[in-house]
Amino acid sequence: MRQGFFALLTADPLRGALRLVEARLLEEARGEALFLVPYPLRDLAEAWRLAYRDLGLRRGQVLYLRRREEAFDPEVAQRVAASSLVFLAAEGLPEFLDLIRGSLVLQALWEVHRKGGGVVALGEAAGLLGEAAFYSWEGEMRAALGLALLRGLALLPKVEERGRFLALSRLVADNPDLVGLGLLENTALRLLRGLGEVWVGGVTLVDAEGAEHTGRGVKGLRVDVLSAGERFPLPAL
């Protein structure tokens, strides 16, 4: 049985920056995929579906959620669980977290992984999959409880933008049981059981194990900068 995986792609599919990675994922899924998005992204997801036809998509579905009740619908959850490749996207991350947290749809995403399929978060949605999810509020980065599909991780796309690396470092320093992963724009990262692999782009790993809090900050944070082709160990998924 094929091992299930999670993948994070921090690029808009319409721009084509990660076409080779997307084509590879579709080939592994035999040309079938489901796009799971909130209602406001339904038209954009349809555009992604059409764009992916050129990359080998033969059977693509768009499933959009308008209300939390729909995330608890057994038929909706079954559509997700029956998919071998799910692309997850969102805008308004706190709202989307409230939409599917603790739902049958979330359980269905676990089922996709358990059966050897892939769950792929696009763009800012990459930040949803860990135990902590970042979102912007009045110009500042804040953190909320994530979906915890990737336990022990805090994920932050576009870490190169002003203030984001600092926010990630502070969160990890205050929660040393978490490992922080900051993803540059146009990065593709695949996470298997116990192993992360950078396919394209760059990842900043922040680990507070052994760090020391001082009166003014934190000393001893471990920061690794990883590029395409590099692998690194992960907390148990």
Side-chain angles (χ1 to χ4, degrees), residues 81-114:
S83 304
S84 59
L85 182 63
V86 177
F87 288 98
L88 183 69
E91 66 176 11
L93 298 190
E95 292 80 7
F96 192 69
L97 283 167
D98 290 341
L99 190 67
I100 68 171
R101 185 185 281 120
S103 69
L104 294 179
V105 164
L106 182 58
Q107 294 179 26
L109 293 173
W110 274 115
E111 183 67 10
V112 172
H113 180 268
R114 187 190 69 80

Side-chain angles (χ1 to χ4, degrees), residues 11-216:
D12 185 338
L14 297 182
R15 296 185 177 180
L18 299 175
R19 286 175 61 88
L20 294 179
V21 171
E22 292 158 336
R24 176 178 174 179
L25 292 171
L26 291 169
E27 181 181 8
E28 291 179 355
R30 299 181 180 179
E32 297 186 4
L34 179 138
F35 296 86
L36 176 62
V37 300
Y39 182 75
L41 291 185
R42 66 195 185 284
D43 292 337
L44 185 57
E46 286 287 356
W48 293 338
R49 184 177 65 85
L50 293 175
Y52 277 4
R53 287 182 178 178
D54 293 336
L55 302 180
L57 180 65
R58 295 186 293 105
R59 184 171 178 268
Q61 304 178 62
V62 174
L63 176 58
Y64 54 83
L65 301 175
R66 287 174 287 193
R67 301 180 302 277
R68 181 165 169 79
E69 292 79 7
E70 293 174 325
F72 286 83
D73 187 325
E75 293 185 4
V76 172
Q78 179 55 37
R79 286 182 62 186
V80 176
S83 304
S84 59
L85 182 63
V86 177
F87 288 98
L88 183 69
E91 66 176 11
L93 298 190
E95 292 80 7
F96 192 69
L97 283 167
D98 290 341
L99 190 67
I100 68 171
R101 185 185 281 120
S103 69
L104 294 179
V105 164
L106 182 58
Q107 294 179 26
L109 293 173
W110 274 115
E111 183 67 10
V112 172
H113 180 268
R114 187 190 69 80
K115 295 191 303 183
V119 177
V120 182
L122 299 172
E124 289 288 332
L128 295 173
L129 301 189
E131 290 198 45
F134 288 91
Y135 63 96
S136 180
W137 178 262
E138 296 182 349
E140 296 183 359
M141 294 305 299
R142 300 190 178 185
L145 293 176
L147 297 177
L149 289 168
L150 294 167
R151 298 189 181 278
L153 296 179
L155 309 167
L156 183 57
K158 298 182 179 179
V159 71
E160 72 274 17
E161 292 187 359
R162 182 178 180 181
R164 291 201 168 205
F165 175 75
L166 180 59
L168 181 64
S169 299
R170 284 176 172 171
L171 178 71
V172 172
D174 290 337
N175 300 273
D177 55 325
L178 294 178
V179 172
L181 294 181
L183 288 76
L184 297 175
E185 191 172 7
N186 298 333
T187 287
L189 173 66
R190 177 139 91 165
L191 306 172
L192 299 165
R193 187 177 301 277
L195 184 68
E197 181 180 4
V198 184
W199 276 353
V200 179
V203 174
T204 300
L205 186 151
V206 183
D207 190 343
E209 184 178 0
E212 176 186 359
H213 281 264
T214 68
R216 297 182 179 181

